[in-house]
Amino acid sequence: LSALDSDQDGSITKSEFGLSSASASTDTSSTTSTSSTDDAQQALFDLIDSDKSGDISEQEWIKANTK
């Protein structure tokens, strides 16, 4: 958790997870591959964030990594 939690507040935000805070991009030059990767990363974040708070808590991180 600490490797991703750059501000050391005990949770991982979407930006710390590598996701953009903006859901839509105006850049039309992005490739389908990048879009697919972003979608997969968002889906993984949503799966780990079981309480849907928008942050991944330490407990959620541990649970996801012990399955």
Side-chain angles (χ1 to χ4, degrees), residues 28-44:
T28 57
S29 67
S30 64
T31 65
T32 302
S33 175
T34 301
S35 178
S36 296
T37 301
D38 292 346
D39 290 347
Q41 195 171 5
Q42 179 66 54
L44 179 59

Side-chain angles (χ1 to χ4, degrees), residues 3 7-8 10 17 20 32 38 44 46 49-50 52 60:
D7 63 5
Q8 300 299 304
F17 199 70
S20 172
T32 302
D38 292 346
L44 179 59
D46 292 343
D49 181 22
S50 59
K52 307 303 178 208
E60 289 168 327

Side-chain angles (χ1 to χ4, degrees), residues 14-15 19-26 38 42:
K14 287 184 179 187
S15 63
L19 295 170
S20 172
S21 59
S23 60
S25 173
T26 57
D38 292 346
Q42 179 66 54

